[in-house]
Amino acid sequence: MNVQEDNEPYDDINVVPMLDLAFVLLVIFIIMTTATVQGIMVNLPKASATPSIGKSETKAITITAEGTIYLDTYPVTMEQLETSLQQHKAVNPDLPVVVKGDSAIQYQAVVDVLDLLGRLEITQIGLVTQKLVK
């Protein structure tokens, strides 16, 4: 007769309470996940398919490798650039300007353009560079 005494250790693992806990937690997670996904129903605004007709106010000054200066896409001289920027600054005192220069140009050409922007008191200036790919 194999009778176990009260003092001997019990070596069988009872997995029923552990499985009950796992199933309860699974049900709670399922309910909480579906409750957060549904959200609140609202009528969303409709966006028009037509593009914005507002014109970008940022002016781009480009200096090519040959030394030609472009305002946006139009070739200009330094005098034409100055008068054009004065007109644009009269309309918009906070005129943003970006300067793009070819890597092969003389540094003096960029300095001349930056000096012109300083004389016209244009303070929002950006220098465009190419991002290095690593």
Side-chain angles (χ1 to χ4, degrees):
M1 188 175 267
N2 198 358
V3 176
Q4 191 174 20
E5 293 183 21
D6 290 338
N7 293 345
E8 291 184 25
Y10 186 72
D11 60 353
D12 291 336
I13 297 175
N14 190 359
V15 294
V16 174
M18 185 174 63
L19 289 176
D20 288 344
L21 178 65
F23 289 137
V24 168
L25 289 176
L26 180 65
V27 169
I28 290 174
F29 286 136
I30 290 172
I31 291 172
M32 292 302 292
T33 304
T34 56
T36 57
V37 170
Q38 292 173 356
I40 299 172
M41 295 299 294
V42 293
N43 290 328
L44 297 175
K46 308 287 187 286
S48 66
T50 59
S52 173
I53 58 172
K55 189 175 180 184
S56 174
E57 296 191 17
T58 303
K59 294 296 169 191
I61 300 171
T62 307
I63 307 168
T64 63
E66 295 80 30
T68 309
I69 301 173
Y70 289 87
L71 179 61
D72 292 332
T73 57
Y74 304 105
V76 292
T77 63
M78 283 297 280
E79 294 78 23
Q80 292 170 335
L81 178 65
E82 183 173 3
T83 56
S84 180
L85 288 175
Q86 282 175 343
Q87 292 171 355
H88 290 296
K89 185 162 173 60
V91 174
N92 182 9
D94 295 328
L95 179 69
V97 175
V98 294
V99 179
K100 299 188 280 184
D102 193 280
S103 62
I105 64 169
Q106 294 279 331
Y107 187 62
Q108 185 63 44
V110 176
V111 171
D112 291 341
V113 171
L114 292 175
D115 183 48
L116 171 68
L117 295 174
R119 282 187 279 127
L120 295 176
E121 297 179 0
I122 296 175
T123 57
Q124 294 191 22
I125 302 170
L127 298 174
V128 179
T129 59
Q130 186 176 10
K131 184 177 180 179
L132 291 175
V133 179
K134 293 183 179 182

